[in-house]
Each structure stands twice: as C-alpha cells, then as structure tokens.
Amino acid sequence: MSSNKKYWKSVEELNENSSIVETLRNNEFVEEIPTNEFLGDAATLATSSTTRRDFLKYVGFTTAAASLAACEGPVHKSIPYVVQPEEIIPGVADYYATTIADGFDFANILVKTREGRPIKIENNKIAGANFHANARVHASVLSLYDNMRLKTSKIAGKDATWDQANAKIKASVVDAKAKGGKVVLLTNTAASPSTDRLIAQFLASNPNAKHITYDAVSSSDALDAFEAVYGERALADYDFSKANVIVSVGADFLGDWQGGGFDSGYAQGRIPQNGKMSRHFQFEANMTLSGAAADKRVPMTVANQKQALVQIYNIITGSSIGSSKDEMVMKAGQQLKAAGSKGVLVCGIDDKNAQLLVLAINRALSSEAFNVANTRQIRKGNNADVKQLLTDMKSGAVHTLIMNGVNPVYSLPNGKEFADSLKKVKLSVAFAMKEDETAAVSNIAVATPHYLESWGDVSVVKGSYALTQPTIRPLFDTVQFQDALLSWTGNTQAYYDYLRASWSGAKSWNQLVHDGVVVTEGVSASAGAGADFNGAASTLAKAVSSKLELVLYTKTGLGDGQQANNPWLQEFPDPITRASWDNYLTISQADATTSGIENWNVANGGLNGSYVTLTVDGVKLEKVPVIIQPGQAKGTVGLALGYGRKAAMKEEMQVGVNAYTLYNNFSNVQNVTIAKEDGEHEFACVQLQRTLMGRGDIIKETSLDIFNTKESGEWNLVPMVSLDHKEVPATTVDLWESFDRSVGHHFNLSIDLNACTGCGACVIACHAENNVPVVGKSEVRRSRDMHWLRIDRYYSSETTFEGDSKTKEGSDGLMDSISTLRGMETPSDNPQVAFQPVMCQHCNHAPCETVCPVAATSHSRQGQNHMAYNRCVGTRYCANNCPYKVRRFNWFLYNGNDEFDYHMNDDLGRMVLNPDVNVRSRGVMEKCSMCIQMTQSTILTAKREGREVKSGEFQTACSNACTSGAMVFGDVNNKESKVAELSEDKRMYHLLEHIGTKPNVFYHVKVRN
C-alpha cells in the first residue's frame, strides 16, 4: 500500500488553527503592494490625459507594480577585438579541464569560458575523474570575480611589488639560517606532488626550516589512527556502491566528512534494482544530510555514539568489552555482521580510539567498500605540529613564518593569541587571495591567484593524477606560492615549465592538459600493522555524556568559510533548516523548552527566534540565534563553522558568529552551557514559503517490502476523479485538446527521490547558468528569493492524517481536547526526511499560459514553457495560477543597483554573467526555462556536424551538476534515451497529478529499506 504519512515542512503547520499557515497557503505574495506610492495622487490622475501606461495602472493593482518598471533593459557598449585570438570564436563556449584543491574542497572539473571569461563550473566525467563538484565548487567561479580580492602584494600594509616582497623574504630566510632561527612553512593540504617536491627542496637547502600542514577543519585523529595501523598518514577511501549495509556513527559522509564526494557511490545502492537496495543506519547528534537519507536514524549524544561504536565492535569481533546496550545499535551491528564484506562502517568522531575501531571493524568484515590502497591524500593537517608552532612563536624561536592558504587568526580557537604571537616573529608572510584576518596582521601579504588563474597538479587519491590549468589571465598582480618556492631554491624556471618537465606518464603532456586527469599505475594495499584495538574500545566504553554537548559542523553552503564573501553560497538555503544568511545554534524541542528558548513564525511566513550565550571553557560566544531542530539529539546542540568573518568582506556578507573560537583542541565536540539572552532574531528561512502542503501526491513513499510484494497501483496510487458519475484515473481526463507531441524533440526531466541527497549543487549550477540574481537576507525573508530551483525539505513522522483524526475524535471533554491538540502540535523528536527539488514543471497544459494577458509565457512543441521577458508587464497572474509556486517576480532591478551590493553591482562581478541568458529587468516574471539555451545549442551543434543528437547529450544545468544521478534530462521521444526508460518506470509519478497540468518533469516514489 502507499504511504499515508503526515508530511510537514515547518513546525507551524502542525498547528491546524494557525492563521499564518492559512494565510500563506492562500496568498502567493505576502507583502502588501504599496499601490498609492505607485499610482501617485488620485486627483492628479483624474485630470491627466490617459496614456496606454496610465490605462494599465487603472486596470488592476497587480499591474501597477509592474508598470513602474522600465521597459528597456540596461545598455552597455561593447568593444570588438582588434586582433581576435584564434582559439576564441565569439558566441561559442570553450571548456578547460582543471582541478580545484583549496585544502577543503577537491574536484575534477570542466570550466566553461565565453570570450575568455570563466563563467561556469561543470563536472569532468572522463574515466578517473572521481571527485565531482559540490555546491561550493560550483560557486567558486564567482569567487574569481570577488572585488575584495588582494590586488597586489603589501609590505606593512602598503602596496608593493613582488620583487620588493621577495627580496625581504629571501633576506629573512638567509638571516634565519645564519642565526639558527626557525623558518616555518605553514600551508593547507595542497595534495600536490610537485608542491611537495618543491617544499622538500626548500627544506633540504634550509635545514633550519620545517613544513607544517594545517587544515581549519581537522581530520588529524583519523590520520593518526590510519598511520598507527597502516604506517601511512592518509585517509581510507570508501565506495558505498559496494555496500549492502552502511552504518555511520557521527559521520556525515554525504556532507563534508573526510573530503566528501561519496554521494555518487552511495546513490547507486539506494535506487531499488532487482528488488534490492542498500540499508543505511545513522547514529548522530545533529540532523545531517546523511541522517536525512538514512533508512533508520537514531539521535544520540557523542558519548553514546562512542558506546555504540564499542557495542558494534563487540558484535563484529566477538569481544566482550563493557559498554551500554542499545536495541537499535544491536540490530545495526547484527545486520552489519551478516552483510560481511558487503557491509561498511564509518565514523566522524574526533577521537583516535574511535577511528581505530573503524579500521578494526572494516578489516574484520573484509569490507569491499573500504579501500586502504588508493588512500585519500587530503586533510593532512597535523594538530600536534600546529600546537607546537604556537608554543615556538610565543617563545620567539620562530624567525620567519611563511603561510599559504591558511587563515589561523580567524580559524584557530586562540586566533587572537596567534595574532599576538606573530609580533614575536621577525618576519611573517601570508600568501593569500584576500587581505584576510591573518594577512592583515602579517608583515608581508602576497597576493595569490585564484585556482582558475593558476597552474598546478593534484593527487587526491593514490593512483590518480590531475592538473590545474589557468582558464583566464591573472586579473591582478598575483604570485603563485610554487613560483615563490622555485625562486627561493634558486630555480629560474617558471612553475609551468617545472610541471611540464617533471611529467612522465602514459599520456602526452598535451593529452593530459586536455583530459585534466590520468589514472597512474596500480596501487597495492599496505599490510596492516597491529594496534591495541581492545584498549581503544575500553577507553571509549568509559565515555560519559556531559550535561550538554556542543557539536560543531560545516554547512553545505559555506564549508570552512573560505568563500564566506560569495553571495551565491550565503543565499543558498541550508538543506535541513532552509535558512540562509545565518548560522545558528540547533537545539531539540525538549532542551529548548527547558531553557525557555522559542521559535515562532510571523505573519509574512518569516521565522523568529531567541538568542543565547554559549560558554565553553570560559570562552563566551554571545548573541547566537537559535533554531529548534526536529531530530536534534537531546543533550546536544549544533553550531556551524565558517561564519563570523569580517576582514576583506562586503558588509552584507559579514554575518553570523565565529564558531572556531570554541573549536578547542580541534575537537568537534565540546562541553557547553547556554543561557538565554534578551531580544529576538529574524531568520531568512524559506520553509513556510511557497508551500504545496495539503495535497496527497507531493511526496510518495513506500517500503521495500511493499515495493517488492505489491502491485504498483497500491503504493503509487493514480489519483481518481469523477467523470459522468464514475471514478476514473485523473490522467485520462482532459479539458484541453492535445496535439501530437511525438514529432521532433520533447524534453522531460526525471527526479528520483531515492537518489536526491539535498546537496544543492543543482541550485548553484542553476544560478551560474541562468544569471539568477542575489537579493539578500531582507528580501529572502519577505519571500522574494529568486531561486529558479528550490529543494523542498519535508519531515514525516509515523503518525498519519487518519491517525490524527482518530486521536482528535477520541478526546473527551474540553480540557482533554485542548491537551490533545497541543500534543499534536509538538514535532517528532526524530522525523524522517525527504528532499524534493522543484522547478517549473513545464506543464503541457500549463495554468500560467492561459492567464497571461500579453502572451509572455507560452508553450513550445519541444515541451518547454517559455518566457518572453520583453512582453511581460508583471501582472503576476501566472504566479498566482501556478500550483507549484515556481515563478519569481523581479521586485527590483538587481543589476547595477547599490541597494543590492553583490556580484551584479560591479564590473568585475558581472564578468561571471552568461551572455546566452538575458539579465532580467525590474517588473517581470522569471522562472526555470529548462535551460533552453543549452538544448538549442546541442541541437545546433549536431546540425552543424551533420549528425543526430547523441543519447544523453541533452543536459540542463541541474542535471549536469547532479552527481548522485537523481536528475536525468533528455528527449523522451528518443526511446533509447535514459529519460524515456525512466518515464516508463513503475515508480514514476507527476507532482499534483490530479489537477491535470501534465508536467514534463516527473518524480520517482521514495522507497525506504
């Protein structure tokens, strides 16, 4: 049978008497339109001669808002090439294979350029390119055009040339060598073989020098454990496609855990095939993407997670080390043991003993998903070395400190202490893209290029080698750290020449540059050494929960905070909380009630909340806003790293509090106390906006048992309607005459709810491809965000709508009824989660098209719903008539407007704009176009080459960005295409199918194991 769970987007919806929810359901535009301001004085209007525009003003108040907009878009002069570069054809995109490696994110990518400008990131799908772009990588192209970048080197805060800075650095290194002072290179994890060689050469010529690797978000405990067992300081790699049972203890492996990039393999096992799919248990404190995707999620404190890990260790290895017992942990452990080599366990606890047990359990299972041969060469930071560096700096033992790709003044918990210690260093040098917190207090700040302006090489995992190549000439007077190393070691080569000279492999250099990545010789697994696993388990078994645990994590949007000045990422709604432009403390309802903390919704759908002060080891973090998060483990609170930056940031992006100040000993778990503060915080939370609730065919869900044993008609119900007093399928009834759509191309988009992890890469890719404007926190709060694609997050509990009705009917008396209803408004302590990407559904019978008075929106024979922006007069009838709430209204001109000081407000930021897509002006509607510019380009390319379009060649920005395979786009008339096959799948259904819009976007029923 089909699932009849009660789904809810916001806690407010559990209150069936909420006037706010009812208002938002019936009112697309929650802000009252100031018509008097638009129309002016009534007496003046009465005496004026009526023009066409005046007539539109009189017609209706909805037209009035649009009438204020100028009909003409902005005009810009263009300057032709004097000598056109032969590799650039105007109007035709070029693609360059490169690799991003910023110390936190690593990916093999293609960069789309137009007339020499990088404008979009895409995934490199060549064999061997295993790391794909997440939301931050897609947004990194905008960081290239950050107007706050360091444009030249600085000495003591004043502009200087590289030659001047280099002379001082060389002199300081020589002086340190003569006096026996320490020279320290402090860098992030470059994962670059050539950089490692250059650093080794520098250390060889300077015996007094030392290299320390520092990552803002540490994986040092996992590295230490792996080194203890396998003799190599590296991280194991995991292929979740090979696992039938997955157990995660505190590891958000669909997020940023140990470098991320696991979603593709994970999704392969989550799509039911031949009646089978993987089973996923998640034990965690914060609600994460991995917890949201799990079949069974158990919220628990980190101390209890350690106990759970010991319990699983006992089950797998047959040990009998004392630990607390948990029924669900027992079930997970037994299924993991039964799965044997088809099982895998991962853990995100920052504790060497916990990480040792992970290795022991996977070795005992002989897990096929656990790869210790092709290890990950990322997140190489060493906690002990960083602590020793600070001690040496305080004592004055460090003569010269050279930093690259790090910002310790911001990201260390004792950042102020580090800044003060810099004064005891004779020469401090920061290679940085921006004059950040560390560069601002260093003696010399050297401007470095963006990775899209740089050469380099990267080996993310053993057995693969990738190149980074420039896609544009350096925009500013910048110097690569590698070129500086060459200079300091007396090598006169340019870094490019050094790279090319050192390459020797199966591919030629030109082929390597073209492909971007190559698989090198095979790697054999190293023999595992012995370790005291039982001792590690005994230590973990003694873990005891504190009164309240703070669990620090990184958000899908900002990560470690390197791109905090990127407006695309700031405006990206968090997949779980759906809040943007903020970080906040997440807390359970039970703990919030105890502390007097509240959240409440206001009339326009905005979310407000209380403030608290956090105290960790005497360090206070004040004015931290709080979101009550269903699924947060009792006794824990969560806070995101990466916020609270001030240096080299636009004012609009200086949001949130700096959680790194509480990141003591590089542990993501801290004992904390909280105290409520006065005041209320206004969140930019989109959760109550554009709701589709109240209909039964939004999210369809069933269990694997029912999926395998029942007919699809029982778990994928077709909505029925009455026709001639008979119940018939809604899909067979039509108000409109249809035409033959089997001729030519007809585009469909498939979205599999089982594969979607809510990662948001599609949202940022859509931003980049379609010039979607950023509107800022205030406008997002007003329900005016401009995202063409949103990822709705739904919670569900085991209760059903029928169950609620029986509960209400079973109450006895007034007081019992009141108590019952209040209890039903309390959200589940551990709700199940479903993500659903929603964009324009491109309905074949589109409600928007019939109500547009000027035919600005119309349907194409290829299935796309078009928007003619220069026809639109902004009546917004289409938005009101759209049941999917996917249309956006330009309340303002966001391009070149000082009120919206984001990338579209300066010439440098506008370099990212896609010339194939119009920049919309004020007063018009816009929405997903199913990337018509991409589909037409594919058709024209095939026509020019005299061939048919290949299967899988059609793509949209979102389908191209989706690494989990959740989104598949193509021509449904091509019966060999993947999308045509998926359209016939028994899990396929349309959103709100009963209203007869006949969308060209379809979904697949979510199956839980």
Side-chain angles (χ1 to χ4, degrees):
M1 66 186 71
S2 65
S3 169
N4 197 21
K5 292 178 180 176
K6 179 170 69 175
Y7 286 96
W8 37 282
K9 291 173 71 180
S10 170
V11 173
E12 185 71 17
E13 290 171 357
L14 296 178
N15 180 0
E16 66 174 18
N17 297 316
S18 172
S19 60
I20 294 173
V21 172
E22 192 60 30
T23 300
L24 293 171
R25 279 177 177 165
N26 298 313
N27 188 4
E28 171 73 5
F29 300 100
V30 295
E31 294 287 332
E32 184 178 351
I33 298 175
T35 53
N36 290 336
E37 180 183 325
F38 288 157
L39 297 178
D41 183 71
T44 305
L45 278 174
T47 57
S48 66
S49 58
T50 303
T51 64
R52 176 177 177 275
R53 178 153 296 191
D54 290 331
F55 173 74
L56 287 175
K57 291 178 182 178
Y58 282 110
V59 167
F61 76 94
T62 53
T63 313
S67 67
L68 192 66
C71 294
E72 301 82 12
V75 177
H76 299 286
K77 289 183 167 60
S78 60
I79 302 173
Y81 288 116
V82 177
V83 179
Q84 179 182 322
E86 64 179 38
E87 68 272 14
I88 294 179
I89 303 173
V92 178
D94 288 315
Y95 291 84
Y96 296 87
T98 190
T99 305
I100 179 175
D102 65 6
F104 191 76
D105 289 311
F106 302 83
N108 306 120
I109 57 176
L110 297 178
V111 182
K112 179 182 179 181
T113 67
R114 283 293 304 270
E115 288 72 56
R117 294 179 295 113
I119 62 171
K120 188 168 182 284
I121 303 298
E122 298 190 356
N123 288 310
N124 189 346
K125 299 178 182 179
I126 196 171
N130 297 321
F131 278 71
H132 300 306
N134 58 24
R136 293 184 298 273
V137 174
H138 280 285
S140 64
V141 67
L142 183 57
S143 295
L144 168 67
Y145 303 115
D146 187 347
N147 205 31
M148 303 295 289
R149 281 180 58 185
L150 192 56
K151 298 175 175 63
T152 189
S153 298
K154 292 191 174 185
I155 299 176
K158 296 181 179 179
D159 290 353
T161 66
W162 163 242
D163 288 339
Q164 291 171 324
N166 196 25
K168 282 185 171 291
I169 297 169
K170 283 183 174 180
S172 183
V173 171
V174 171
D175 186 52
K177 193 172 184 179
K179 295 179 179 177
K182 287 186 180 179
V183 176
V184 177
L185 300 180
L186 181 66
T187 72
N188 61 1
T189 300
S192 168
S194 65
T195 304
D196 290 342
R197 286 196 302 271
L198 288 170
I199 289 175
Q201 291 169 17
F202 178 81
L203 298 181
S205 59
N206 296 279
N208 59 321
K210 182 179 181 180
H211 176 222
I212 297 174
T213 304
Y214 164 58
D215 293 324
V217 180
S218 175
S219 294
S220 190
D221 290 300
L223 293 165
D224 292 341
F226 194 89
E227 185 177 26
V229 176
Y230 292 99
E232 177 190 6
R233 191 170 173 78
L235 298 173
D237 198 15
Y238 296 88
D239 184 353
F240 290 98
S241 68
K242 297 179 179 179
N244 292 339
V245 176
I246 301 165
V247 178
S248 171
V249 181
D252 184 16
F253 59 88
L254 295 180
D256 297 327
W257 175 76
Q258 293 191 4
F262 299 110
D263 50 344
S264 179
Y266 174 81
Q268 291 179 39
R270 299 298 291 167
I271 299 173
Q273 295 177 340
N274 301 320
K276 297 180 179 179
M277 61 182 285
S278 63
R279 183 156 172 77
H280 174 190
F281 294 88
Q282 185 82 13
F283 303 94
E284 63 182 11
N286 297 341
M287 175 71 84
T288 66
L289 291 181
S290 302
D295 294 302
K296 189 63 181 178
R297 176 184 180 272
V298 181
M300 56 172 56
T301 66
V302 177
N304 288 340
Q305 290 173 34
K306 292 179 180 179
Q307 298 277 354
L309 196 58
V310 175
Q311 188 178 346
I312 294 171
Y313 173 76
N314 287 339
I315 293 170
I316 301 300
T317 64
S319 302
S320 56
I321 295 163
S323 71
S324 61
K325 300 294 190 293
D326 183 278
E327 183 180 349
M328 189 52 62
V329 174
M330 179 72 71
K331 184 176 181 180
Q334 290 171 345
Q335 291 196 20
L336 187 63
K337 185 174 183 178
S341 64
K342 292 294 183 181
V344 67
L345 179 139
V346 293
C347 177
I349 301 172
D350 284 345
D351 186 303
K352 182 179 176 180
N353 291 317
Q355 297 302 325
L356 282 172
L357 291 198
V358 173
L359 303 178
I361 290 169
N362 286 315
R363 286 176 63 182
L365 292 170
S366 299
S367 173
E368 295 176 16
F370 176 63
N371 186 344
V372 295
N374 300 88
T375 52
R376 292 190 166 204
Q377 302 298 306
I378 59 178
R379 304 284 176 88
K380 290 291 192 78
N382 191 310
N383 295 349
D385 286 352
V386 175
K387 292 175 185 176
Q388 184 60 47
L389 170 63
L390 188 56
T391 302
D392 292 343
M393 289 169 62
K394 283 192 209 174
S395 67
V398 178
H399 181 285
T400 303
L401 176 63
I402 302 173
M403 298 169 282
N404 178 59
V406 296
N407 186 7
V409 173
Y410 162 70
S411 57
L412 281 176
N414 47 354
K416 188 177 183 304
E417 188 179 351
F418 187 92
D420 293 338
S421 300
L422 276 179
K423 297 172 184 176
K424 298 181 180 180
V425 176
K426 292 197 174 168
L427 184 71
S428 55
V429 183
F431 283 75
M433 272 184 59
K434 307 181 75 173
E435 195 172 7
D436 55 29
E437 289 80 358
T438 302
V441 295
S442 297
N443 301 131
I444 298 176
V446 180
T448 57
H450 190 269
Y451 78 93
L452 293 176
E453 303 168 309
S454 309
W455 282 102
D457 62 349
V458 182
S459 179
V460 182
V461 296
K462 272 190 177 179
S464 77
Y465 182 82
L467 274 187
T468 297
Q469 66 169 312
T471 58
I472 188 174
R473 287 182 180 274
L475 298 173
F476 307 115
D477 182 17
T478 54
V479 178
Q480 273 193 251
F481 181 60
Q482 291 83 356
D483 279 312
L485 285 169
L486 284 165
S487 173
W488 300 335
T489 54
N491 194 328
T492 58
Q493 279 183 304
Y495 182 45
Y496 165 77
D497 296 324
Y498 178 86
L499 267 180
R500 183 165 186 172
S502 60
W503 166 247
S504 61
K507 291 183 179 180
S508 68
W509 173 258
N510 287 343
Q511 189 65 45
L512 176 61
V513 171
H514 174 272
D515 295 349
V517 65
V518 63
V519 177
T520 57
E521 69 279 354
V523 180
S524 58
S526 56
D532 186 7
F533 297 123
N534 285 343
S538 298
T539 303
L540 289 177
K542 300 172 185 174
V544 179
S545 295
S546 65
K547 186 175 181 182
L548 192 63
E549 293 177 349
L550 170 65
V551 181
L552 300 169
Y553 68 101
T554 56
K555 271 193 189 180
T556 305
L558 283 199
D560 65 348
Q562 288 186 56
Q563 295 192 72
N565 204 45
N566 192 313
W568 286 350
L569 295 176
Q570 289 282 10
E571 191 144 302
F572 171 67
D574 181 76
I576 301 295
T577 64
R578 307 290 288 133
S580 60
W581 293 101
D582 246 323
N583 73 327
Y584 34 77
L585 195 73
T586 56
I587 192 171
S588 68
Q589 180 66 63
D591 290 332
T593 302
T594 302
S595 302
I597 295 167
E598 297 177 291
N599 281 165
W600 61 95
N601 290 99
V602 293
N604 66 356
L607 178 70
N608 291 5
S610 305
Y611 285 111
V612 296
T613 292
L614 303 180
T615 306
V616 174
D617 285 344
V619 177
K620 290 189 176 182
L621 205 54
E622 299 177 337
K623 281 287 182 183
V624 182
V626 186
I627 282 183
I628 299 173
Q629 174 62 57
Q632 182 80 31
K634 294 178 183 177
T636 70
V637 291
L639 185 63
L641 302 164
Y643 286 82
R645 293 190 59 182
K646 304 295 182 186
M649 299 273 293
K650 287 190 175 183
E651 185 178 352
E652 292 81 356
M653 259 71 83
Q654 296 178 24
V655 297
V657 295
N658 183 5
Y660 281 115
T661 58
L662 308 179
Y663 191 38
N664 294 338
N665 296 315
F666 300 97
S667 174
N668 61 355
V669 183
Q670 303 288 333
N671 294 331
V672 66
T673 58
I674 62 174
K676 184 180 177 182
E677 289 189 30
D678 294 334
E680 62 182 71
H681 185 79
E682 295 184 346
F683 293 100
C685 182
V686 300
Q687 193 53 40
L688 261 188
Q689 300 171 10
R690 304 185 178 95
T691 179
L692 304 183
M693 293 304 295
R695 285 105 169 201
D697 49 355
I698 301 293
I699 296 280
K700 289 189 178 182
E701 179 181 310
T702 189
S703 70
L704 185 62
D705 287 341
I706 293 173
F707 174 77
N708 287 333
T709 58
K710 304 289 185 182
E711 293 295 325
S712 61
E714 295 190 46
W715 49 263
N716 187 8
L717 294 175
V718 177
M720 307 295 284
V721 296
S722 178
L723 178 66
D724 296 332
H725 306 289
K726 295 179 182 178
E727 289 285 307
V728 298
T731 52
T732 64
V733 180
D734 213 335
L735 293 174
W736 310 94
E737 291 185 12
S738 295
F739 59 85
D740 184 7
R741 294 190 175 91
S742 63
V743 179
H745 302 296
H746 191 82
F747 299 119
N748 272 202
L749 177 63
S750 167
I751 301 176
D752 196 324
L753 300 183
N754 261 52
C756 180
T757 63
C759 71
C762 54
V763 176
I764 304 298
C766 178
H767 260 291
E769 176 66 32
N770 295 297
N771 300 335
V772 176
V774 174
V775 300
K777 180 176 180 178
S778 177
E779 293 298 294
V780 171
R781 181 174 166 84
R782 288 185 171 92
S783 189
R784 293 177 179 175
D785 69 283
M786 298 300 293
H787 293 105
W788 283 14
L789 163 63
R790 69 176 191 266
I791 303 179
D792 286 339
R793 184 268 295 132
Y794 290 94
Y795 292 138
S796 65
S797 55
E798 296 301 326
T799 58
T800 64
F801 291 111
E802 285 78 7
D804 281 352
S805 297
K806 290 178 182 178
T807 302
K808 285 186 287 187
E809 291 167 2
S811 58
D812 183 22
L814 177 61
M815 298 310 295
D816 185 31
S817 297
I818 293 173
S819 176
T820 299
L821 291 172
R822 281 180 176 169
M824 292 169 65
E825 292 172 14
T826 302
S828 170
D829 289 335
N830 185 28
Q832 291 183 327
V833 184
F835 296 110
Q836 185 174 59
V838 180
M839 67 294 289
C840 174
Q841 302 290 290
H842 296 271
C843 310
N844 288 319
H845 294 164
C848 56
E849 296 169 10
T850 57
V851 295
C852 181
V854 293
T857 181
S858 59
H859 211 69
S860 79
R861 184 169 281 277
Q862 295 178 347
Q864 290 152 308
N865 178 264
H866 292 178
M867 274 300 303
Y869 300 122
N870 59 343
R871 292 186 63 91
C872 179
V873 294
T875 63
R876 300 177 301 156
Y877 297 156
C878 56
N880 284 316
N881 216 37
C882 173
Y884 306 104
K885 306 306 176 192
V886 291
R887 287 176 167 263
R888 305 290 178 261
F889 182 66
N890 282 272
W891 290 90
F892 301 96
L893 177 65
Y894 303 109
N895 179 41
N897 188 339
D898 290 342
E899 294 297 319
F900 299 92
D901 190 16
Y902 309 110
H903 66 289
M904 285 190 182
N905 196 40
D906 59 72
D907 290 336
L908 186 63
R910 280 192 288 267
M911 287 179 70
V912 82
L913 296 178
N914 183 359
D916 292 332
V917 180
N918 186 41
V919 176
R920 283 75 64 186
S921 194
R922 181 184 181 185
V924 302
M925 297 297 305
E926 61 179 77
K927 52 94 197 175
C928 161
S929 66
M930 210 176 263
C931 291
I932 188 171
Q933 70 280 1
M934 293 178 68
T935 57
Q936 294 308 302
S937 175
T938 301
I939 292 169
L940 291 172
T941 299
K943 181 182 287 187
R944 188 171 59 248
E945 296 175 359
R947 60 174 176 81
E948 291 186 355
V949 177
K950 300 172 187 174
S951 180
E953 195 172 358
F954 284 118
Q955 292 288 351
T956 58
C958 56
S959 67
N960 218 14
C962 184
T963 57
S964 67
M967 290 184 173
V968 178
F969 178 78
D971 180 5
V972 77
N973 285 342
N974 178 2
K975 299 308 177 184
E976 296 181 359
S977 67
K978 180 69 174 175
V979 77
E981 177 188 338
L982 292 170
S983 68
E984 302 296 327
D985 192 278
K986 61 182 181 179
R987 287 198 294 134
M988 188 276 287
Y989 75 97
H990 291 103
L991 205 57
L992 305 183
E993 200 161 31
H994 64 278
I995 60 178
T997 55
K998 298 192 180 300
N1000 282 314
V1001 178
F1002 58 85
Y1003 296 81
H1004 289 264
V1005 174
K1006 187 173 183 67
V1007 181
R1008 293 190 188 271
N1009 189 358

